[in-house]
Structures are given as structure tokens and as C-alpha cells.
Amino acid sequence: MRILILTRNPRRGLATWTDEVAKGLEHLGHSVVVRECSDWMPQPTGKPVDKEVSKHLKKFVIGYDLIIASGYRTAWACGESLKSKVPWVGLVYRELPTTHRDLIERLSRAKRLWASSRTLTGDLDGCGLTNAATLLPFRSPLHGPTPTAAREALGWPQDATIVLTAPSSQPGPGYQELVDSIPAAEARIGPISLKKYDPHFVNLETQIRAANLVAVTTYSSSFSMFALEAMSLGTPVLISQGSNPDSALIDPFISGATFESHDRLGDELASCLQMPITLESFGLAGKTRYETKFSLEPGYERLKEAVANLRL
């Protein structure tokens, strides 16, 4: 098939997933084109904007057998312009931004909504979007330096206890709670150095490998690509239960740690960090879970099945 993937300035997790889906579809023998739409698809919607966007979209989709809309904004555009006349799929990574009937109506016109977790699929179905189906994300293997070499490259002290947080352009929900939890954890285990992943600094793999623990503390109930990347590199993760929907990402306290509420975050942080053998066990088990469930081979099998289920 000839497949067109539409993106519009996606956040990092969705951008990574979209890129992996594109490479996976090419691996399965499809011809794939990825088009960035932000130059002609503004974020606001409305009749005049939708009309102009539809003109562009109808022109770009000519000759393609399937359109994949990455994220809700591009899915809105496909639902508005293509309706159900041209087969299209929505790739949705996070919870609905709104349950307004206008968005639901447009999303309902998709052949399928590929959701990043069973929890998200259930939430979409609960809003009347019975076309939702789970497609667990997957990730190409990452390769990083040893922790010692990583800290040398970053100039981070070798004996420091370092917690790395998920990337964010702004302090998001959960981040301040992590900052606030540090003193309680330090009272039990001593000084902790909290670092935020910086995409403009040394590469992702080096920053993850330099950390004792990667913490994902957002309230979001969506999949965490950042935690998956840490697992692939063997770095232990601590994530909110919301970021581990249906225990899809980690087996709690086997391949990583979870916390139920932010008032328990300091205790969970200290419990993880005070036992090096526990951290090592989480790291090894997390890497194994990545390899068996989220690496390319199982990921491509899920993608192959998802495409087949479209019955185009």
C-alpha cells in the first residue's frame, strides 16, 4: 500500500512513536511518506480554517491507499475533510483533550483509532468511539555508554545519586511534586541530584545511562516513551500508576517501580535508591521486558496485525 502519515509538530513521545510506525510499515513492505503539516494546518479550528485546511488535505491525499493522522489535530482535519470517504487511521498517544461532540464526531469517522494503551482504548470507547483499538508502542534499540563513561561525558560526579526526569519544555503536572518529594527521600538516604532531560545537551542515551533512576511522575494516563527508552538501556524506572496503564509498560516492582499518589513519592523514591541490588534487578528486568514486548520484532508483529484488521 501507499501510506501517507500526517504530523503536526508532535510532542516527543508521539513523534517517536510516529517515526517507529513509519519505519515499521516500510519494513512490512509498504510505501510510506511522512508529511509535516504545521505550515498549513494551524492549531485553532473553525469553519474558515477547516475549509482552508481541507483544500490542502484533499490535494495531498490523492494516490494514497491509507492516511494515518498522528495526533488529535491532524485527526480532526481528516475527520472534517476526508470523513469516511478515504480510509484513514488516527494515531493517538494521550487522553482526549476534550470530549466535545464536535471532536468525537470527527474521530468516529476514522477507520480505526490506534491507541497507545488498553486504558486509553477503553476511555475512547467510553466516549462512543467504538473504532478505537490498542496498538502498544515499540522502540528501536538504543545503545549508550557505561554509567561511568556517561557521567564523565556529562561532568556529573561519579558518586552522586542522580534521578533523571522525563523531558518537558515546561514544568508539567507531577514535576513539582517530584521536586517537593526530594527532601523526604534525602532524609532517609542522603543527597539526591535531580536532573531534567535536556534535548539540547548530550544525547538521550548518555543522560539516561548516567542516572541511577529515571522518574516519570506525570498525572497522564498515557504511555511513557521516555520510561520505555530507559528500560531499553537497562536503567531502572519509577513511574506513576497513571503512566503504567493496565501494567502494560512494567510489571510493578519486578521490572520497575510505581507509586500510587504523589504524597507517597518521597518514600518510593528512597526505597528504590537505598537498595542498589533492587535498582540493578529493576534495570535488568526492565531491559528484558523491553526486548520481549517492546522491541522491533514484537512491535512489527502488532503493527502487521493492526493493518490486517483494517481489511482495506
Side-chain angles (χ1 to χ4, degrees):
M1 284 193 298
R2 294 195 68 216
I3 300 173
L4 174 65
I5 300 179
L6 302 171
T7 71
R8 189 194 176 281
N9 193 27
R11 293 185 178 182
R12 186 180 170 280
L14 177 59
T16 301
W17 188 27
T18 302
D19 183 58
E20 295 291 353
V21 167
K23 290 187 290 187
L25 290 168
E26 288 179 338
H27 175 81
L28 295 173
H30 302 290
S31 173
V32 180
V33 173
V34 179
R35 179 178 288 275
E36 165 58 43
C37 307
S38 55
D39 58 336
W40 51 270
M41 186 185 293
Q43 184 62 33
T45 59
K47 286 186 177 179
V49 174
D50 289 344
K51 184 177 181 181
E52 190 63 28
V53 169
S54 292
K55 289 181 182 178
H56 289 279
L57 192 54
K58 289 176 180 177
K59 176 178 65 176
F60 288 135
V61 302
I62 294 173
Y64 289 98
D65 304 299
L66 177 66
I67 313 302
I68 297 178
S70 173
Y72 289 111
R73 178 60 182 95
T74 53
W76 171 288
C78 287
E80 170 69 24
S81 176
L82 308 180
K83 298 183 169 59
S84 301
K85 298 175 183 177
V86 177
W88 65 277
V89 169
L91 194 65
V92 292
Y93 186 72
R94 296 187 178 279
E95 59 268 29
L96 283 164
T98 176
T99 56
H100 193 283
R101 66 177 183 274
D102 288 348
L103 176 60
I104 301 301
E105 179 183 353
R106 285 159 177 80
L107 294 177
S108 70
R109 296 167 180 165
K111 185 77 173 178
R112 194 79 74 237
L113 296 173
W114 285 340
S116 64
S117 72
R118 289 189 298 274
T119 296
L120 180 54
T121 300
D123 291 345
L124 295 170
D125 185 76
C127 293
L129 294 168
T130 57
N131 55 346
T134 304
L135 178 63
L136 282 177
F138 47 90
R139 184 69 164 95
S140 299
L142 299 177
H143 306 283
T146 65
T148 298
R151 293 193 177 199
E152 287 178 354
L154 293 163
W156 293 355
Q158 294 293 340
D159 58 350
T161 299
I162 296 174
V163 174
L164 183 69
T165 69
S168 174
S169 57
Q170 299 291 334
Y175 175 76
Q176 188 57 49
E177 284 83 351
L178 177 60
V179 173
D180 294 342
S181 74
I182 296 295
E186 288 182 323
R188 289 176 53 184
I189 65 169
I192 296 172
S193 177
L194 179 62
K195 306 282 189 181
K196 182 183 284 190
Y197 165 66
D198 183 354
H200 305 295
F201 196 32
V202 177
N203 66 27
L204 169 75
E205 296 90 334
T206 299
Q207 292 181 63
I208 288 177
R209 288 290 285 160
N212 296 88
L213 181 72
V214 163
V216 178
T217 58
T218 62
Y219 295 110
S220 173
S221 61
S222 61
F223 192 91
S224 173
M225 185 64 71
F226 191 62
L228 178 59
E229 289 164 335
M231 291 164 62
S232 76
L233 288 164
T235 299
V237 298
L238 170 66
I239 63 177
S240 67
Q241 290 186 1
S243 294
N244 190 41
D246 0 286
S247 297
L249 185 56
I250 67 169
D251 291 319
F253 303 102
I254 296 175
S255 52
T258 64
F259 62 94
E260 183 176 359
S261 61
H262 285 90
D263 58 4
R264 293 283 303 157
L265 182 52
D267 288 338
E268 295 295 349
L269 199 59
S271 296
C272 288
L273 293 170
Q274 70 184 359
M275 296 289 289
I277 193 169
T278 300
L279 283 181
E280 183 180 3
S281 175
F282 284 167
L284 292 172
K287 186 174 180 63
T288 298
R289 186 164 175 84
Y290 158 76
E291 291 169 346
T292 56
K293 191 169 183 178
F294 298 104
S295 59
L296 295 186
E297 184 174 351
Y300 287 173
E301 282 299 313
R302 291 196 294 271
L303 183 60
K304 181 179 179 180
E305 181 180 359
V307 173
N309 286 339
L310 295 176
R311 295 181 174 84
L312 298 178

PDB file of all heavy atoms in Angstrom, residues 16-30:
ATOM      1  N   THR A  16       8.208  10.171  18.405  1.00  0.00           N
ATOM      2  CA  THR A  16       9.000   8.944  18.362  1.00  0.00           C
ATOM      3  C   THR A  16       8.149   7.773  17.909  1.00  0.00           C
ATOM      4  O   THR A  16       8.560   6.972  17.062  1.00  0.00           O
ATOM      5  CB  THR A  16       9.603   8.647  19.748  1.00  0.00           C
ATOM      6  OG1 THR A  16      10.429   9.750  20.147  1.00  0.00           O
ATOM      7  CG2 THR A  16      10.452   7.383  19.715  1.00  0.00           C
ATOM      8  N   TRP A  17       6.949   7.650  18.467  1.00  0.00           N
ATOM      9  CA  TRP A  17       6.060   6.554  18.090  1.00  0.00           C
ATOM     10  C   TRP A  17       5.696   6.622  16.606  1.00  0.00           C
ATOM     11  O   TRP A  17       5.703   5.619  15.895  1.00  0.00           O
ATOM     12  CB  TRP A  17       4.806   6.601  18.962  1.00  0.00           C
ATOM     13  CG  TRP A  17       3.898   5.407  18.800  1.00  0.00           C
ATOM     14  CD1 TRP A  17       4.248   4.135  18.412  1.00  0.00           C
ATOM     15  CD2 TRP A  17       2.498   5.366  19.035  1.00  0.00           C
ATOM     16  NE1 TRP A  17       3.151   3.312  18.392  1.00  0.00           N
ATOM     17  CE2 TRP A  17       2.050   4.046  18.778  1.00  0.00           C
ATOM     18  CE3 TRP A  17       1.572   6.318  19.465  1.00  0.00           C
ATOM     19  CZ2 TRP A  17       0.719   3.661  18.918  1.00  0.00           C
ATOM     20  CZ3 TRP A  17       0.245   5.919  19.616  1.00  0.00           C
ATOM     21  CH2 TRP A  17      -0.168   4.612  19.338  1.00  0.00           C
ATOM     22  N   THR A  18       5.397   7.834  16.124  1.00  0.00           N
ATOM     23  CA  THR A  18       5.054   8.014  14.715  1.00  0.00           C
ATOM     24  C   THR A  18       6.206   7.581  13.822  1.00  0.00           C
ATOM     25  O   THR A  18       6.010   6.901  12.800  1.00  0.00           O
ATOM     26  CB  THR A  18       4.690   9.483  14.439  1.00  0.00           C
ATOM     27  OG1 THR A  18       3.597   9.866  15.286  1.00  0.00           O
ATOM     28  CG2 THR A  18       4.300   9.688  12.985  1.00  0.00           C
ATOM     29  N   ASP A  19       7.416   7.966  14.187  1.00  0.00           N
ATOM     30  CA  ASP A  19       8.597   7.585  13.415  1.00  0.00           C
ATOM     31  C   ASP A  19       8.781   6.066  13.395  1.00  0.00           C
ATOM     32  O   ASP A  19       9.091   5.475  12.357  1.00  0.00           O
ATOM     33  CB  ASP A  19       9.835   8.264  14.001  1.00  0.00           C
ATOM     34  CG  ASP A  19      11.098   7.965  13.202  1.00  0.00           C
ATOM     35  OD1 ASP A  19      11.129   8.269  12.002  1.00  0.00           O
ATOM     36  OD2 ASP A  19      12.057   7.425  13.789  1.00  0.00           O
ATOM     37  N   GLU A  20       8.550   5.429  14.534  1.00  0.00           N
ATOM     38  CA  GLU A  20       8.686   3.966  14.603  1.00  0.00           C
ATOM     39  C   GLU A  20       7.607   3.283  13.759  1.00  0.00           C
ATOM     40  O   GLU A  20       7.874   2.268  13.098  1.00  0.00           O
ATOM     41  CB  GLU A  20       8.596   3.497  16.057  1.00  0.00           C
ATOM     42  CG  GLU A  20       9.730   3.971  16.955  1.00  0.00           C
ATOM     43  CD  GLU A  20      11.072   3.338  16.612  1.00  0.00           C
ATOM     44  OE1 GLU A  20      11.132   2.430  15.759  1.00  0.00           O
ATOM     45  OE2 GLU A  20      12.080   3.765  17.212  1.00  0.00           O
ATOM     46  N   VAL A  21       6.387   3.810  13.775  1.00  0.00           N
ATOM     47  CA  VAL A  21       5.315   3.244  12.950  1.00  0.00           C
ATOM     48  C   VAL A  21       5.662   3.377  11.474  1.00  0.00           C
ATOM     49  O   VAL A  21       5.475   2.435  10.685  1.00  0.00           O
ATOM     50  CB  VAL A  21       3.966   3.928  13.264  1.00  0.00           C
ATOM     51  CG1 VAL A  21       2.914   3.593  12.200  1.00  0.00           C
ATOM     52  CG2 VAL A  21       3.474   3.506  14.640  1.00  0.00           C
ATOM     53  N   ALA A  22       6.199   4.537  11.078  1.00  0.00           N
ATOM     54  CA  ALA A  22       6.585   4.737   9.677  1.00  0.00           C
ATOM     55  C   ALA A  22       7.651   3.726   9.249  1.00  0.00           C
ATOM     56  O   ALA A  22       7.547   3.095   8.178  1.00  0.00           O
ATOM     57  CB  ALA A  22       7.094   6.166   9.483  1.00  0.00           C
ATOM     58  N   LYS A  23       8.672   3.553  10.080  1.00  0.00           N
ATOM     59  CA  LYS A  23       9.728   2.580   9.752  1.00  0.00           C
ATOM     60  C   LYS A  23       9.183   1.161   9.752  1.00  0.00           C
ATOM     61  O   LYS A  23       9.573   0.323   8.921  1.00  0.00           O
ATOM     62  CB  LYS A  23      10.882   2.723  10.751  1.00  0.00           C
ATOM     63  CG  LYS A  23      11.675   4.007  10.578  1.00  0.00           C
ATOM     64  CD  LYS A  23      12.908   4.053  11.467  1.00  0.00           C
ATOM     65  CE  LYS A  23      12.565   4.196  12.920  1.00  0.00           C
ATOM     66  NZ  LYS A  23      13.771   4.404  13.770  1.00  0.00           N
ATOM     67  N   GLY A  24       8.255   0.871  10.671  1.00  0.00           N
ATOM     68  CA  GLY A  24       7.659  -0.457  10.723  1.00  0.00           C
ATOM     69  C   GLY A  24       6.846  -0.770   9.479  1.00  0.00           C
ATOM     70  O   GLY A  24       6.912  -1.878   8.934  1.00  0.00           O
ATOM     71  N   LEU A  25       6.071   0.205   9.011  1.00  0.00           N
ATOM     72  CA  LEU A  25       5.275  -0.006   7.809  1.00  0.00           C
ATOM     73  C   LEU A  25       6.169  -0.225   6.581  1.00  0.00           C
ATOM     74  O   LEU A  25       5.862  -1.063   5.721  1.00  0.00           O
ATOM     75  CB  LEU A  25       4.352   1.198   7.585  1.00  0.00           C
ATOM     76  CG  LEU A  25       3.207   1.336   8.594  1.00  0.00           C
ATOM     77  CD1 LEU A  25       2.537   2.693   8.469  1.00  0.00           C
ATOM     78  CD2 LEU A  25       2.182   0.224   8.416  1.00  0.00           C
ATOM     79  N   GLU A  26       7.266   0.501   6.511  1.00  0.00           N
ATOM     80  CA  GLU A  26       8.218   0.277   5.418  1.00  0.00           C
ATOM     81  C   GLU A  26       8.827  -1.115   5.513  1.00  0.00           C
ATOM     82  O   GLU A  26       9.002  -1.804   4.498  1.00  0.00           O
ATOM     83  CB  GLU A  26       9.308   1.346   5.456  1.00  0.00           C
ATOM     84  CG  GLU A  26       8.817   2.723   5.029  1.00  0.00           C
ATOM     85  CD  GLU A  26       9.904   3.777   5.088  1.00  0.00           C
ATOM     86  OE1 GLU A  26      10.900   3.576   5.836  1.00  0.00           O
ATOM     87  OE2 GLU A  26       9.765   4.810   4.398  1.00  0.00           O
ATOM     88  N   HIS A  27       9.140  -1.549   6.730  1.00  0.00           N
ATOM     89  CA  HIS A  27       9.678  -2.894   6.932  1.00  0.00           C
ATOM     90  C   HIS A  27       8.684  -3.952   6.461  1.00  0.00           C
ATOM     91  O   HIS A  27       9.087  -5.006   5.938  1.00  0.00           O
ATOM     92  CB  HIS A  27       9.993  -3.104   8.417  1.00  0.00           C
ATOM     93  CG  HIS A  27      10.435  -4.501   8.757  1.00  0.00           C
ATOM     94  ND1 HIS A  27      11.727  -4.942   8.565  1.00  0.00           N
ATOM     95  CD2 HIS A  27       9.739  -5.569   9.275  1.00  0.00           C
ATOM     96  CE1 HIS A  27      11.817  -6.210   8.943  1.00  0.00           C
ATOM     97  NE2 HIS A  27      10.633  -6.607   9.382  1.00  0.00           N
ATOM     98  N   LEU A  28       7.392  -3.673   6.613  1.00  0.00           N
ATOM     99  CA  LEU A  28       6.355  -4.624   6.205  1.00  0.00           C
ATOM    100  C   LEU A  28       6.060  -4.554   4.707  1.00  0.00           C
ATOM    101  O   LEU A  28       5.173  -5.259   4.227  1.00  0.00           O
ATOM    102  CB  LEU A  28       5.073  -4.357   7.002  1.00  0.00           C
ATOM    103  CG  LEU A  28       5.175  -4.610   8.517  1.00  0.00           C
ATOM    104  CD1 LEU A  28       3.896  -4.148   9.220  1.00  0.00           C
ATOM    105  CD2 LEU A  28       5.445  -6.077   8.822  1.00  0.00           C
ATOM    106  N   GLY A  29       6.789  -3.707   3.994  1.00  0.00           N
ATOM    107  CA  GLY A  29       6.677  -3.673   2.541  1.00  0.00           C
ATOM    108  C   GLY A  29       5.821  -2.563   1.972  1.00  0.00           C
ATOM    109  O   GLY A  29       5.581  -2.522   0.754  1.00  0.00           O
ATOM    110  N   HIS A  30       5.358  -1.651   2.808  1.00  0.00           N
ATOM    111  CA  HIS A  30       4.523  -0.553   2.327  1.00  0.00           C
ATOM    112  C   HIS A  30       5.388   0.643   1.922  1.00  0.00           C
ATOM    113  O   HIS A  30       6.509   0.819   2.415  1.00  0.00           O
ATOM    114  CB  HIS A  30       3.532  -0.137   3.406  1.00  0.00           C
ATOM    115  CG  HIS A  30       2.639  -1.245   3.869  1.00  0.00           C
ATOM    116  ND1 HIS A  30       1.649  -1.789   3.079  1.00  0.00           N
ATOM    117  CD2 HIS A  30       2.598  -1.941   5.044  1.00  0.00           C
ATOM    118  CE1 HIS A  30       1.033  -2.754   3.735  1.00  0.00           C
ATOM    119  NE2 HIS A  30       1.583  -2.872   4.933  1.00  0.00           N
TER     120      HIS A  30
END
